[in-house]
Amino acid sequence: MKERIQLGQLSEASGVSKRTIGYLFLHTYGITPMAFVKRERLRKASRLLHHADPTTTTVASIARECSFAHMGQFSLDYKRLLGESPSDSLHLHPQADRIPGRQ
């Protein structure tokens, strides 16, 4: 599993306080920095699932690749944001859109 991004890391990388980052994200995106990071991880998972070969890829492997450790919570958050289950994203989309050899 890849390392999870922490608010302190964002603060250090940007050179501004955690409070300032929080304010800027709320003002710009209407959500907290960590909610933004989670949303982007879910969107990445969606892209990967839509283009994966369901015969060689599992939802769990994609979730882990996107730094999700708790599969139940991943599935709930995914469906809440994207309107379908991760399994549906993997299995219900045309094979023509799949990336050959993607595992």
Side-chain angles (χ1 to χ4, degrees):
M1 179 167 66
K2 297 181 181 179
E3 184 179 335
R4 302 232 8 221
I5 296 171
Q6 301 294 323
L7 186 57
Q9 294 169 315
L10 293 175
S11 174
E12 188 176 316
S14 65
V16 298
S17 72
K18 294 176 188 178
R19 184 176 184 171
T20 299
I21 289 174
Y23 170 77
L24 292 171
F25 269 81
L26 282 172
H27 179 74
T28 304
Y29 301 106
I31 56 176
T32 67
M34 300 320 296
F36 179 88
V37 169
K38 185 178 193 176
R39 183 183 74 187
E40 293 308 304
R41 289 173 35 231
L42 287 165
R43 287 180 174 171
K44 177 182 178 182
S46 175
R47 286 189 304 274
L48 293 174
L49 287 165
H50 281 99
H51 293 98
D53 180 349
T55 64
T56 60
T57 304
T58 65
V59 169
S61 68
I62 297 290
R64 283 190 303 272
E65 184 174 338
C66 296
S67 301
F68 291 98
H70 188 282
M71 294 303 115
Q73 190 63 53
F74 166 71
S75 183
L76 287 171
D77 292 340
Y78 187 98
K79 187 163 188 168
R80 187 177 299 126
L81 178 67
L82 299 160
E84 69 180 3
S85 72
S87 182
D88 286 347
S89 292
L90 179 60
H91 294 286
L92 298 179
H93 295 280
Q95 289 290 331
D97 292 343
R98 307 273 181 208
I99 298 171
R102 171 79 178 115
Q103 295 186 5

